[in-house]
């Protein structure tokens, strides 16, 4: 149990376009989901915390208008990178916390390349 | 925010050797998890261990919350253990914000 999926697993887009990444908890309900970004050879940096039915909480330095997060249900959160630029190229990883639990379960990640 | 430091940053082991990875954190935490990130980027849950000791096969972990550190032990290492090991802690705030450590890159050579 506790499987989290992400889609797509990798995406290449042109500069100026928008990309949507989905994060789903497949076999459990998640009131809280987290979005992370990881640059090569670096650790994971929390971008935002997403709670079902409410606005996401963004970390300092993360532009909320550029990284739109929607947590529409207890099993789905989406991250939309708007007007993507090459510097947005990164590995984006989501995680989900089970309703009433403390552990986080991570998705397989989405590798975004902006050309 | 909480600072999380891991040591060593890099480690090369001969297959069959044992190792200890350390995670130090700067403040009280609610939760602590250890992860293994494989070469494809997938994060694998190893342990959820806010305190105490757990074992799973060749791996074991100990967290001493009062002294703000956790240790991950790998025994009889195998080449498939290669990758980056992260610890991640959650603070006591409402959302239990998670902070990842700096990571230990492990290479096990045959």
């Amino acid at each position: 149990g506790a499987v989290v999926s992400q889609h797509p697993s990798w995406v290449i887009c042109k500069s100026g376009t928008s990309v949507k990444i989905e994060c789903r908890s497949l076999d459990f309900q998640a009131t809280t989901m987290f979005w992370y970004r990881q640059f090569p050879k670096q650790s994971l940096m929390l971008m935002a915390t997403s709670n079902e039915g409410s606005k996401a909480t963004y970390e300092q330095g993360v532009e909320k208008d550029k990284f739109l997060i929607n947590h529409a249900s207890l099993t789905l959160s989406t991250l939309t990178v708007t007007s993507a630029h090459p510097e947005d190229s990164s590995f984006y990883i989501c995680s989900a916390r089970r309703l009433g639990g403390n552990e986080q379960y991570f998705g397989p990640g989405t590798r975004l390349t902006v050309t | 925010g909480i600072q999380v430091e891991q040591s060593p940053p890099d480690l090369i082991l001969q297959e069959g050797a044992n190792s200890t990875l350390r995670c130090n954190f700067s403040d009280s935490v609610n939760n602590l998890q250890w992860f293994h990130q494989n070469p494809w980027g997938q994060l694998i849950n190893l342990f959820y261990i806010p305190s105490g000791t757990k074992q799973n096969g060749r791996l074991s972990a100990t967290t001493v919350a009062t002294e703000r550190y956790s240790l991950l032990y790998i025994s009889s290492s195998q080449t498939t253990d290669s990758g980056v090991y992260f610890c991640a802690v959650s603070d006591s705030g409402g959302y239990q914000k998670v902070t990842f450590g700096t990571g230990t890159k492990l290479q096990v050579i045959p």
Side-chain angles (χ1 to χ4, degrees):
Chain A
V3 178
V4 177
S5 70
Q6 276 185 246
H7 177 80
S9 54
W10 60 270
V11 57
I12 301 173
C13 71
K14 291 189 175 181
S15 188
T17 61
S18 295
V19 174
K20 180 185 283 190
I21 303 170
E22 292 186 350
C23 176
R24 293 181 185 273
S25 55
L26 298 184
D27 52 0
F28 67 99
Q29 292 185 325
T31 50
T32 306
M33 289 183 169
F34 303 86
W35 287 95
Y36 297 85
R37 182 167 51 184
Q38 185 180 31
F39 292 108
K41 301 187 187 301
Q42 294 188 21
S43 186
L44 280 75
M45 297 300 295
L46 180 66
M47 298 175 67
T49 302
S50 164
N51 283 280
E52 187 265 337
S54 63
K55 290 183 179 180
T57 302
Y58 289 82
E59 294 301 304
Q60 191 172 5
V62 178
E63 300 174 57
K64 63 178 69 174
D65 293 331
K66 181 170 185 60
F67 298 99
L68 301 179
I69 292 173
N70 186 358
H71 193 157
S73 76
L74 285 173
T75 59
L76 173 64
S77 177
T78 60
L79 168 68
T80 301
V81 183
T82 62
S83 187
H85 289 100
E87 57 265 31
D88 298 324
S89 298
S90 187
F91 193 52
Y92 292 87
I93 307 175
C94 74
S95 71
R97 179 179 288 143
R98 190 195 298 267
L99 184 64
N102 291 315
E103 268 185 87
Q104 284 192 61
Y105 301 95
F106 281 79
T110 297
R111 195 165 300 281
L112 170 64
T113 301
V114 185
T115 60
Chain B
I2 297 177
Q3 306 298 313
V4 185
E5 295 288 332
Q6 291 183 239
S7 60
D10 296 279
L11 185 59
I12 299 176
L13 293 177
Q14 200 78 39
E15 196 168 26
N18 303 327
S19 64
T20 300
L21 282 57
R22 187 177 179 101
C23 171
N24 290 332
F25 41 96
S26 62
D27 206 343
S28 300
V29 298
N30 267 358
N31 305 307
L32 188 145
Q33 285 181 255
W34 282 96
F35 298 93
H36 174 216
Q37 187 171 38
N38 63 24
W40 298 271
Q42 173 77 54
L43 279 163
I44 310 298
N45 284 32
L46 296 177
F47 293 102
Y48 169 72
I49 185 166
S51 64
T53 297
K54 289 186 178 179
Q55 180 156 8
N56 184 4
R58 296 182 296 104
L59 303 182
S60 63
T62 295
T63 296
V64 184
T66 53
E67 296 187 22
R68 300 180 183 169
Y69 73 90
S70 183
L71 302 173
L72 177 69
Y73 306 95
I74 304 174
S75 64
S76 304
S77 59
Q78 300 175 359
T79 55
T80 51
D81 295 332
S82 298
V84 183
Y85 290 80
F86 289 105
C87 69
V89 302
S90 302
D91 65 18
S92 55
Y95 291 130
Q96 296 187 51
K97 173 184 168 179
V98 174
T99 302
F100 271 75
T102 48
T104 292
K105 183 177 180 181
L106 172 65
Q107 184 179 356
V108 181
I109 54 177

